[in-house]
Every structure is written in C-alpha cells, then in structure tokens.
Amino acid sequence: HNDLDNVGYTARHHTFFEMLGNFSFGDYFKEDAIAFGWELCTKEFALDPKKLLVTVYAEDDEAAAIWKKVAGFDDSKIIRIGTSDNFWSMGDAGPCGPCSEIFYDHGESVPGGPPGSPDEDGDRFIEIWNLVFMQFDQQADGTRKNLPKPSIDTGMGLERISAVLQGLHNNYDIDLFRNLIAAEEDLYGSKAAGDQLASFRVIADHLRTSAFLIADGVLPSNEGRGYVLRRIMRRAMRHGHLLGARAPLMYKLAPALISEMGAAYPELGRAKAAIESALEQEEARFQRTLGNGLSLLDKETANMKAGDALPGDVAFKLSDTYGFPLDLTQDILRGRDMGVDVAGFEAALEQQRQDSRAAGFSSGDQAAEDIWFRVRDDAGATKFTGYDSTDGKGKLVAIAAGGARVDTLSPGAAEIVFDTTPFYAESG
C-alpha cells in the first residue's frame, strides 16, 4: 500500500532506507537464524531483553518453540499473527514461508500498542528485524510443497536500529538525518520545529530518494519510474515552498547528502552534477505553476469544511494543468483535514485517455514518432526557451493530425510544432 502520505509525519516511514540482512541458501535454517538474531540483539547490540518481543506466523509452532528455548519467552512475548504480515511470498507462485519479527518497545511514553492490537500502527512497538523462513514452494493451484533446501532471508532497517542504539525513538533524530536537517536549516533560514518540523523531515527523506534514483539514471517524467521520482521531488519542493523557497533551493542540499553518504555510495559523488541539475530544473519548472495551482486549490476549498472531499475533476485539473500529482494534493489537504474524491479523479483521467485515443493519436505511437523525426530533419530541433520565459513567439513548422503530417488545421485534435517554444514537451 502507499505510505507516501505518512513520510515525514511518523517516526518510521521513509521512501528510502538502508536494509541490513543475512542469508542462508540451503545451509542453516530456523533454529540457527533465531539464535543468531537473539545473540546480535542482546549481546552484540546489548539491547535489554525485557524491551524485546517477537511475532510468529499463527501456524508456525516450530518457531514459537524455538523462541521459548532460545530467549526464554513465555506466550505473552510470542505473538501469533495469522495474516500475510507474517507470511512472505514472492508472488502467486514460487518460494514462500512464515516470518518471525523482532520488535523493540520504546516505552509507555510513546503512543501505540503491540503487533496485532488495535493500536499497532503507533510508534511504541517498532519492528527492527524480520526473519523469513523460506521453506515452501507455492504452486499455481494454491498448494504448497516443501523446498528441498529451506533458506533464510532477513531484513533489518538501518535507520530503525540506529534510533534504538542511539537512545531515540524517531528515525529522523538519528545522526544522519540530524546533519541533513541542519543543512536545511541553514539553507531555508528557519528551525526544524513546531509546524515546520514535518517539512524538514519530508525534504531530508525525499532528497535521499531523489539523489539515489537520479544516480541510477532515473529522471523525472510523466510515466513509469520517472513519474514516481517526479511525485517525490515535487512533494519535497512543495514543503520547501512552505519554508519560504521562491527559487530553486533543494539542489543546494546535494553536497550535504554526499558528505554523509558518499563514502558508502561513491556513485552519489560521481553523479553530483546530474543530481544538482535535475533537482534545480524540476524545482524551477514546478515553481512556475505552483502558485497558480495553490490559488486554485484555495478557491475550490474556500467553502469546504473538515471531512469534505475535493471534487475529482478539480484534483485532475491540478494534476493535468498545474503539475500537482494526486498524492501532492492529498498531502496539502491533509493539513486541512480534507480529502480527495479519488474515484472522480480516476474517472477524469480515464476520460482524458479515451479522448486521446478517439482523437487518433498518442505521443507514444510509432507513426507520430516517425513524423517528429522527419520534422527535426527538415526544420531542425525546436529551441526551448521555458527556463527563461513562459511566453514567446515562434514560427509554425509542422502540423500532425490523425497520425499523419498535414498542411492545414481542421476541426478536432492536432499537434503543432514551432521552431521556438516555452512548453516543455517531453516531460512537463
């Protein structure tokens, strides 16, 4: 499920985190994995056993018995969970098996209940390690066969265990985030406190995600993984706007991130120029429409009250015209205790798709792509002026309609090309 709207507002949600783990492929299995986990937590990390509890899959009597033997836990410290939270699978078919999770209790001062309770989504009891016992092969018909060589796959979030070892209960208070947030305070000229605290945390988290995606070759766009990146970047940049940014600033945080993580991930240093350029250009594009989009949103919500939902067609207009991804609109309205008619948004989006298909062309059609290659060969590349101006004059050099190049405009949809334009055609 989508946890993006929680990032920055809770102690433990992130769009990027570092995962520690150990693996066994047909070697040691459940008993050793549990013993190794207990030894690392209580001896090497010196965690208080009284602060720990575990979950096991409801039907995994073997794991429950091993925890009693290894840790000396009674049944109150071994919580049986019968849902997929404690059963890992790679899909409808393939290797799968029960899980056992180790939780740390941050104490009564932190709201939340133990796993399986109505208050389990609170931050008091935090999962720090997940032990996956891959012992079955799920068949297409739903039956399971025993794997000939059972295996172990574990995962421990570095940010979560760091918070525990540093005596903190919020991941954003650990040393890595403190240094990033300190750099933000210097850049934005305000303190990470009060109503602004969540904005600083969102930017710190999303900066990490954006930088690593760009270093891996992903760039913001309107499709696929590029759109995931754009959503994350623009969510952070909107929080920068809340902190007073009226010019691109987020890119200036890249050196602070590279200083923190570049030694472990040298690709960040190698991609520094690309990271800074992508962040700066995306924020410049977004800021040109952000103010008008926020004005529209204020106008449309002026007569709404807490608990109301923004009409889906308005949310779609914010996305289509002003570059507001749906979850960005949801994030803005969250602070007003309002929501979005998501079904209405999806209906407007589907209607646009149908209209585009009915018009007989799509930017992804091979015929259209061939047209634009020929136009480029005949007239040269279009000069883009959008970084300096939002309007301008240009010479019309080509018209396309119905998947073909034409000489005149007729009623209906068409695409036109100028020799100069402020419109960002590829990704805007």
Side-chain angles (χ1 to χ4, degrees):
H1 59 284
N2 185 2
D3 287 334
L4 182 60
D5 59 343
N6 289 322
V7 175
Y9 294 94
T10 73
R12 55 192 169 86
H13 283 98
H14 301 286
T15 57
F16 172 95
F17 65 96
E18 296 179 84
M19 181 71 80
L20 311 177
N22 60 290
F23 306 88
S24 168
F25 302 102
D27 188 7
Y28 65 85
F29 193 51
K30 201 172 294 187
E31 184 162 3
D32 285 333
I34 290 175
F36 293 157
W38 183 250
E39 179 181 358
L40 181 62
C41 288
T42 59
K43 294 184 179 179
E44 301 300 328
F45 289 163
L47 300 182
D48 183 354
K50 296 179 181 179
K51 289 277 193 178
L52 301 177
L53 57 87
V54 300
T55 63
V56 297
Y57 186 57
E59 301 172 14
D60 194 353
D61 296 332
E62 180 185 11
I66 294 172
W67 275 116
K68 289 182 178 181
K69 173 184 174 183
V70 171
F73 283 162
D74 60 25
D75 288 335
S76 67
K77 285 272 199 164
I78 304 173
I79 300 173
R80 292 175 179 260
I81 304 291
T83 67
S84 59
D85 286 345
N86 274 75
F87 196 93
W88 180 90
S89 62
M90 64 179 295
D92 294 335
C96 61
C99 307
S100 181
E101 299 170 322
I102 303 175
F103 283 77
Y104 183 85
D105 181 1
H106 280 287
E108 295 180 355
S109 63
V110 180
S117 73
D119 299 322
E120 66 178 359
D121 289 333
D123 292 324
R124 175 177 174 179
F125 295 88
I126 296 296
E127 175 203 335
I128 58 172
W129 205 348
N130 185 20
L131 314 178
V132 180
F133 310 125
M134 288 186 286
Q135 61 187 94
F136 302 115
D137 183 7
Q138 178 94 8
Q139 306 298 300
D141 61 4
T143 61
R144 294 172 185 157
K145 296 180 179 179
N146 290 327
L147 285 173
K149 293 186 176 181
S151 301
I152 294 293
D153 178 1
T154 81
M156 173 187 284
L158 178 62
E159 293 80 4
R160 293 189 181 190
I161 193 62
S162 295
V164 170
L165 294 176
Q166 293 175 27
L168 306 166
H169 85 271
N170 192 307
N171 292 359
Y172 292 95
D173 291 333
I174 66 174
D175 48 7
L176 172 59
F177 280 106
R178 280 202 307 270
N179 292 334
L180 287 179
I181 290 174
E184 291 177 56
E185 290 178 326
D186 291 339
L187 181 63
Y188 293 102
S190 56
K191 289 294 182 182
D195 292 340
Q196 295 184 326
L197 181 58
S199 292
F200 280 94
R201 290 174 172 175
V202 167
I203 293 169
D205 174 90
H206 291 7
L207 172 68
R208 300 206 308 168
T209 304
S210 300
F212 274 87
L213 284 172
I214 295 166
D216 278 347
V218 181
L219 290 175
S221 70
N222 284 341
E223 296 180 349
R225 59 183 188 174
Y227 187 59
V228 173
L229 174 58
R230 169 160 285 167
R231 289 166 54 198
I232 291 169
M233 291 172 72
R234 293 196 169 188
R235 185 170 186 261
M237 290 161 183
R238 180 253 166 179
H239 280 276
H241 185 85
L242 291 177
L243 297 177
R246 296 299 181 267
L249 288 180
M250 189 173 166
Y251 75 98
K252 295 182 179 181
L253 294 169
L257 175 66
I258 294 170
S259 176
E260 286 295 321
M261 306 187 73
Y265 301 96
E267 63 268 28
L268 290 178
R270 293 193 295 268
K272 178 176 181 291
I275 293 168
E276 291 177 333
S277 176
L279 288 169
E280 182 179 15
Q281 292 181 30
E282 184 68 13
E283 192 163 9
R285 283 194 291 268
F286 187 41
Q287 285 184 338
R288 285 196 291 272
T289 60
L290 178 58
N292 290 335
L294 290 173
S295 295
L296 174 63
L297 189 57
D298 289 341
K299 176 183 177 182
E300 294 290 341
T301 57
N303 296 319
M304 290 172 53
K305 61 183 183 298
D308 286 350
L310 183 75
D313 61 328
V314 178
F316 177 74
K317 183 176 181 180
L318 285 167
S319 172
D320 189 51
T321 305
Y322 298 101
F324 282 40
L326 174 61
D327 42 40
L328 174 62
T329 300
Q330 292 172 314
D331 190 51
I332 295 171
L333 293 179
R334 172 194 183 120
R336 308 178 192 181
D337 197 21
M338 299 174 182
V340 175
D341 174 13
V342 177
F345 174 89
E346 297 292 347
L349 177 61
E350 180 57 30
Q351 184 61 51
Q352 186 198 57
R353 290 171 176 159
Q354 291 180 9
D355 291 345
S356 295
R357 287 193 290 267
F361 67 85
S362 165
S363 61
D365 289 344
Q366 184 61 46
E369 289 185 7
D370 291 342
I371 291 171
W372 305 134
F373 283 125
R374 292 197 299 272
V375 169
R376 184 193 60 191
D377 293 339
D378 294 343
T382 297
K383 179 182 178 182
F384 177 64
T385 60
Y387 293 137
D388 302 312
S389 176
T390 57
D391 56 30
K393 295 181 179 180
K395 177 183 177 182
L396 180 64
V397 297
I399 305 171
R405 192 170 175 178
V406 297
D407 294 327
T408 59
L409 276 173
S410 301
E415 296 173 277
I416 55 179
V417 180
F418 292 87
D419 63 345
T420 302
T421 181
F423 293 101
Y424 197 85
E426 286 296 322
S427 302

